[in-house]
Amino acid sequence: MEKNYPSIPLPERQAWPALVSLCIGFFMILLDQTIVAVSTPALQADMGASYNEVIWVTSIYLLAFAVPLLITGRLGDKYGPKNVYAVGMALFTLSSLACGFAPGMATLIIARGFQGLGAALLTPQTMATINRMFAVERRGAALGVWGTTAGLATLTGPILGGVITQTWGWQWVFFINVPIGVACILAVLKYVPDFPPLTRPLDPLSVILSILAVFSIVFALQEGEGAGWALWIWLLMAAGLGFFAWFIHQQGRADSRGNDPLVPLEMFRIRNFSLGNISILAMGFTVAGTPLPIMLYFQQVHGLEPMQAGMMMIPQALTSALLSPWVGKLVDRSHPGHLAAFGFAAMVVSIIGLSTVMILDASMWWALLPMFGLGIGNSFVWAPNSQSTMRMLPLKFMGAGSGVFNTTRQIGSVLGAAAIGAVLQFRIASGSGGAAFGQAILLAAVVLLIGVIASLLARRVS
């Protein structure tokens, strides 16, 4: 018996509960990327872990998250985004429980890898489903909620991480995911509809090549600084680029063999999709690369406790939370590219201001002003850039497009953490003292300028 699928877009009384259900899990996944970092010193002391083991707690999560994203976006097209989301959330929830109960570092690292895989399964389904459920003229408001979720999660991680670790212990950074995950699965199964799946198989060679390409590039970037950028790092990166070139070539051949390509290349003929991916790479670079120098600056230069340092992020998080829903509504009647360009520009100015405070060794209270500016910039980037990127994408490409978008953001995150970390280490070694933290984050301001330019080049589509 053939299954009846809902008409697209959904009535808003059905679409909004589904959106809230998806965003609960999306918030938890993004939060986990930053919240664990704050609990790392307590975790290391309690487990008697080496520095390398502690690094791998974060690295394995990001690696397992980034590598399969191109595939998991298409799995949503193949088996239905609701089903893939629920499986991903179940895996993430169970592995969170395993992290909290881990008896040693080996178990914790393995469980974190499964956490990353669960995150990779569910993350692309969020954006793909939003773009299916909502009419084009109402999609900006929905993406405003999505943008609020993304902005709040990345900004409140250091705050919540400090509070939870100091109050209950590092294990609760993981345990807190369990009840939220269970509630999210039940809500998604109830409110998110089924969509018609793809009928053709995905190209198997494309799947293999995507894994080899993304793994080689991400792993080389993660390990580069620790390995002193040895020759094998550059060879691995070159191999990754070679696999990527082969992967692109294979996408054009897959259709002739009766398979669906993993990434349909015709998506990139859509100007705004290509430009939006450039912009989100710059955003990922900044969001992942700047928190470490900022947190170290407050703790090492001004002597703040982890919780106190996290509290310095409140102006940024609060501003972003208040403005993002309004910006989302503004997207539906304005040029999203221009809104995103303003957001990127606000972040450039704010990072330069924060860098100046650090380099001049001014009172740390002056840092609150650029923190407000970063909150404004964040709120103007997420929803407008997502709307501009995905708006003209045909529904059949939503899973693939979401996978590409999230992969680009994650690669940007790995690039940002590696590049800004390398600059920070170099400047500290050169004897720059506290100014090193301000000098390191300036690199993010340069990269954000690419986001400004790409957003201005985007076309407005009615």
Side-chain angles (χ1 to χ4, degrees):
M1 184 176 177
E2 190 171 340
K3 190 169 185 175
N4 292 323
Y5 294 102
S7 58
I8 303 298
L10 294 180
E12 293 210 7
R13 69 180 183 277
Q14 296 177 30
W16 283 103
L19 172 65
V20 172
S21 303
L22 292 166
C23 282
I24 292 170
F26 184 53
F27 178 86
M28 192 167 71
I29 295 304
L30 291 181
L31 186 73
D32 209 70
Q33 293 188 56
T34 54
I35 195 172
V36 175
V38 182
S39 66
T40 296
L43 184 157
Q44 183 175 17
D46 189 43
M47 301 283 273
S50 68
Y51 179 73
N52 186 59
E53 287 175 325
V54 167
I55 290 295
W56 268 102
V57 169
T58 299
S59 296
I60 193 67
Y61 178 86
L62 293 175
L63 193 65
F65 190 177
V67 170
L69 276 170
L70 288 176
I71 302 164
T72 57
R74 290 296 265 169
L75 287 179
D77 290 337
K78 182 71 177 172
Y79 300 105
K82 178 174 78 171
N83 299 326
V84 177
Y85 186 102
V87 170
M89 181 53 72
L91 180 58
F92 186 87
T93 302
L94 289 172
S95 54
S96 295
L97 195 63
C99 286
F101 283 121
M105 288 302 296
T107 306
L108 178 59
I109 291 169
I110 292 169
R112 282 284 282 169
F114 280 105
Q115 255 195 329
L117 180 57
L121 283 166
L122 71 89
T123 299
Q125 318 313 327
T126 307
M127 181 182 289
T129 305
I130 291 172
N131 283 279
R132 286 181 171 104
M133 292 191 304
F134 287 86
V136 172
E137 65 273 10
R138 291 292 296 147
R139 205 173 286 162
L143 286 170
V145 175
W146 180 86
T148 304
T149 303
L152 270 180
T154 53
L155 299 177
T156 57
I159 302 170
L160 288 177
V163 171
I164 291 172
T165 302
Q166 203 160 318
T167 306
W168 297 301
W170 64 266
Q171 292 89 343
W172 282 93
V173 168
F174 300 108
F175 287 148
I176 198 172
N177 294 335
V178 177
I180 300 173
V182 171
C184 182
I185 292 169
L186 295 174
V188 165
L189 292 176
K190 179 177 180 179
Y191 293 114
V192 177
D194 292 306
F195 297 107
L198 292 174
T199 56
R200 296 199 304 173
L202 295 176
D203 182 58
L205 181 56
S206 296
V207 170
I208 295 169
L209 290 173
S210 73
I211 291 173
L212 292 172
V214 179
F215 175 84
S216 300
I217 293 170
V218 171
F219 185 77
L221 289 170
Q222 284 184 333
E223 294 297 296
E225 186 178 345
W229 298 103
L231 177 61
W232 71 267
I233 292 288
W234 296 106
L235 291 174
L236 184 61
M237 200 175 299
L241 293 173
F243 285 128
F244 182 67
W246 187 3
F247 170 80
I248 293 174
H249 175 69
Q250 181 64 19
Q251 301 318 288
R253 302 175 60 195
D255 188 66
S256 64
R257 300 183 177 186
N259 295 326
D260 267 324
L262 204 57
V263 176
L265 297 181
E266 56 261 45
M267 291 192 302
F268 294 96
R269 296 183 187 138
I270 301 171
R271 178 190 180 104
N272 285 12
F273 180 77
S274 296
L275 291 170
N277 275 280
I278 294 172
S279 297
I280 203 63
L281 186 140
M283 191 63 173
F285 187 101
T286 303
V287 167
T290 56
L292 178 62
I294 293 172
M295 288 293 101
L296 289 176
Y297 167 76
F298 286 132
Q299 292 180 56
Q300 295 185 5
V301 176
H302 292 287
L304 300 185
E305 295 294 325
M307 185 187 296
Q308 295 172 322
M311 293 298 178
M312 296 296 289
M313 305 290 283
I314 288 178
Q316 186 180 4
L318 189 61
T319 305
S320 181
L322 292 174
L323 285 180
S324 289
W326 174 73
V327 173
K329 294 177 182 177
L330 195 61
V331 168
D332 288 327
R333 57 179 185 270
S334 306
H335 191 319
H338 289 173
L339 294 176
F342 171 78
F344 280 116
M347 292 184 72
V348 170
V349 172
S350 300
I351 286 177
I352 292 174
L354 184 59
S355 173
T356 302
V357 171
M358 294 174 170
I359 291 172
L360 297 180
D361 196 23
S363 167
M364 72 174 182
W365 300 112
W366 281 107
L368 294 178
L369 187 60
M371 285 295 183
F372 276 111
L374 285 172
I376 293 171
N378 264 276
S379 64
F380 273 86
V381 168
W382 289 107
N385 184 66
S386 303
Q387 172 76 317
S388 179
T389 306
M390 303 293 288
R391 183 163 186 164
M392 292 306 296
L393 211 58
L395 287 177
K396 65 179 180 177
F397 293 150
M398 282 300 170
S402 182
V404 170
F405 188 82
N406 282 283
T407 300
T408 304
R409 177 173 59 81
Q410 281 301 114
I411 289 176
S413 297
V414 176
L415 276 169
I420 292 177
V423 172
L424 178 61
Q425 187 179 50
F426 172 73
R427 296 310 300 158
I428 289 175
S430 68
S432 297
F437 303 107
Q439 293 163 353
I441 65 172
L442 280 175
L443 182 59
V446 175
V447 174
L448 285 169
L449 287 173
I450 299 172
V452 175
I453 296 168
S455 299
L456 288 174
L457 291 174
R459 293 171 179 159
R460 179 175 184 177
V461 182
S462 58

